[in-house]
């Protein structure tokens, strides 16, 4: 691919390299099996035995996030109502690999792919309680740990709309005429340029690839905290639109503690925007299951 996409890696780590790097710094883990679980834009992820997960940055931009996670994630424990990966092993950069890396307690579960609407609705209160507590974490304490503040200009709807139109043009051939029609109609109705800034500590990337469910389809883990940031809570509340069916949103917002119309407007936009990005990457990877799930997230977000 030659570095043409934002998700292309600067450093690739394979299972053999991961085993060597982990074994050198953490000899107590050297006898455990190492298995690549997958990768996102920023990190390659390995399962060590069946107890730990290690994340290795793939790009320079991800190094700051790994450092910040190492500092902040342990402090979140008292606020967490859903299991999350706690850092346990702090790997240092070396001649063999130029970045720090982190090992966490493994959080079991499956990605919520292909769940029925009824199953999704079962997590409305669970997700709302989780976000209510997370958004109560003191913003100043988060900033001291190196968290960025609104680095993605979340409240700037006008520029996000322009970007969304650009992304859509790249995936339009992978959408049905009905799907692209619904999305285009939504974008053209979106007349608000900006919403008032609000600051809360955010997970920052809450979508189906960063959520785990148990055998009943109920959310049982929230993973990949590399986008922890301070900004508008609508970023995380987007899960009410992308993940939950319309009839479960009332109980979600009631449990969360309410949200104004501006917040809901921005939450819905992000619930379309993130799955469009996921769809782009899934198309690039030829991953039909992820592409199909991304499309169903978009269409759910746009239904009332």
């Amino acid at each position: 691919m030659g570095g043409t996409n934002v998700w292309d890696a600067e450093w690739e780590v394979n299972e053999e390299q991961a085993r060597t790097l982990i074994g050198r710094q953490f000899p107590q883990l050297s006898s455990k099996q190492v298995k690549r679980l997958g990768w996102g834009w920023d990190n390659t992820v390995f399962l060590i035995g069946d107890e730990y997960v290690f994340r290795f940055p793939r790009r320079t931009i991800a190094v700051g996030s790994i450092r910040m996670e190492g500092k902040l994630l342990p402090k979140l424990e008292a606020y967490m109502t859903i299991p999350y990966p706690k850092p346990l092993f702090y790997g240092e950069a070396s001649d063999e690999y130029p970045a720090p890396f982190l090992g966490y307690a493994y959080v079991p579960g499956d990605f919520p792919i292909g769940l029925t609407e009824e199953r999704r609705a079962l997590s409305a209160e669970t997700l709302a309680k989780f976000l209510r507590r997370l958004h109560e974490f003191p913003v100043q304490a988060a900033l001291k740990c190196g968290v960025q503040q609104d680095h993605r200009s979340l409240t700037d709807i006008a520029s996000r709309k322009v970007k969304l139109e650009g992304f859509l043009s790249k995936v339009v051939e992978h959408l049905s005429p009905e799907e692209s029609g619904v999305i285009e109609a939504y974008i053209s109705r979106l007349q608000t340029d900006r919403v008032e800034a609000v600051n809360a500590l955010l997970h920052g990337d809450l979508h189906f690839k960063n959520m785990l469910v148990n055998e009943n389809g109920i959310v049982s883990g929230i993973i990949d905290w590399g986008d922890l940031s301070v900004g508008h809570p609508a970023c995380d509340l987007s899960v009410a639109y992308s993940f939950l069916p319309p009839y479960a949103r009332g109980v979600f917002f009631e449990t969360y503690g309410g949200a104004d119309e501006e917040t809901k407007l921005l939450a819905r936009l992000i619930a379309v925007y993130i799955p469009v990005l996921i769809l782009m990457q899934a198309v690039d990877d030829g991953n039909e299951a992820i592409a199909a799930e991304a499309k169903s997230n978009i269409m759910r977000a746009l239904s009332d």
Side-chain angles (χ1 to χ4, degrees):
M1 279 158 49
T4 54
N5 292 311
V6 286
W7 51 78
D8 289 341
E10 290 169 39
W11 322 297
E12 287 291 8
V13 179
N14 61 30
E15 287 178 359
E16 198 49 55
Q17 288 166 308
R19 185 179 290 109
T20 303
L21 291 166
I22 293 166
R24 290 240 164 95
Q25 295 194 36
F26 309 105
Q28 69 272 39
L29 303 180
S30 58
S31 64
K32 293 190 182 292
Q33 194 178 359
V34 175
K35 180 185 165 203
R36 193 176 94 144
L37 280 182
W39 53 269
W41 287 27
D42 293 337
N43 300 285
T44 307
V45 186
F46 297 89
L47 181 61
I48 314 304
D50 53 10
E51 304 143 88
Y52 308 113
V53 166
F54 272 73
R55 289 167 77 220
F56 289 83
R58 305 172 73 234
R59 313 187 295 148
T60 308
I61 200 168
V63 171
S65 291
I66 282 279
R67 289 208 174 99
M68 175 273 298
E69 275 188 63
K71 283 187 200 152
L72 183 53
L73 282 178
K75 296 181 193 298
L76 294 184
E77 189 163 7
Y79 290 78
M80 288 292 103
T81 59
I82 297 178
Y84 77 111
K86 296 182 196 101
L88 301 170
F89 302 98
Y90 291 73
E92 300 290 336
S94 63
D95 292 344
E96 296 157 292
Y97 178 71
F101 53 95
L102 265 186
Y104 313 75
Y106 173 63
V107 179
D110 297 306
F111 293 119
I113 292 174
L115 289 184
T116 64
E117 300 302 281
E118 291 73 21
R119 285 280 161 112
R120 291 168 180 280
L122 296 174
S123 291
E125 289 185 51
T126 303
L127 283 167
K129 283 175 187 162
F130 161 72
L131 288 175
R132 187 178 72 208
R133 286 294 285 145
L134 175 64
H135 294 169
E136 284 169 359
F137 187 85
V139 165
Q140 287 314 99
L143 293 172
K144 276 187 188 150
C145 290
V147 168
Q148 289 184 285
Q149 184 157 6
D150 199 30
H151 60 298
R152 289 171 292 179
S153 306
L154 290 171
T155 54
D156 184 353
I157 290 179
S159 69
R160 195 166 289 268
K161 183 176 163 179
V162 171
K163 282 184 190 161
L164 183 57
E165 286 169 329
F167 298 152
L168 204 55
S169 67
K170 293 180 181 172
V171 292
V172 72
E173 72 216 53
H174 300 277
L175 297 166
S176 70
E178 185 202 359
E179 286 166 339
S180 55
V182 168
I183 300 167
E184 283 160 19
Y186 163 71
I187 292 173
S188 67
R189 286 197 311 273
L190 198 58
Q191 296 305 324
T192 308
D193 284 345
R194 168 176 288 283
V195 297
E196 201 67 38
V198 184
N199 283 322
L201 178 64
L202 308 174
H203 174 278
D205 199 22
L206 200 54
H207 55 72
F208 69 90
K209 288 177 76 181
N210 290 337
M211 298 162 70
L212 299 171
V213 293
N214 63 19
E215 63 280 2
N216 300 316
I218 295 171
V219 175
S220 59
I222 303 291
I223 59 171
D224 196 346
W225 290 74
D227 280 304
L228 268 167
S229 52
V230 166
H232 202 295
C235 179
D236 288 348
L237 296 174
S238 63
V239 77
Y241 295 92
S242 60
F243 184 82
L244 295 176
Y247 66 83
R249 290 171 193 157
V251 72
F252 172 89
F253 283 113
E254 198 179 312
T255 307
Y256 176 75
D260 59 27
E261 288 313 305
E262 276 198 346
T263 297
K264 290 179 177 178
L265 178 100
L266 180 55
R268 194 190 293 266
L269 172 58
I270 293 168
V272 175
Y273 187 91
I274 293 177
V276 167
L277 278 174
I278 294 171
L279 176 58
M280 279 169 62
Q281 189 179 358
V283 164
D284 194 55
D285 292 343
N287 190 325
E288 287 176 22
I290 297 290
E293 185 63 28
K295 284 192 270 190
S296 78
N297 274 239
I298 296 163
M299 300 313 286
R300 185 178 301 106
L302 294 179
S303 49
D304 282 315

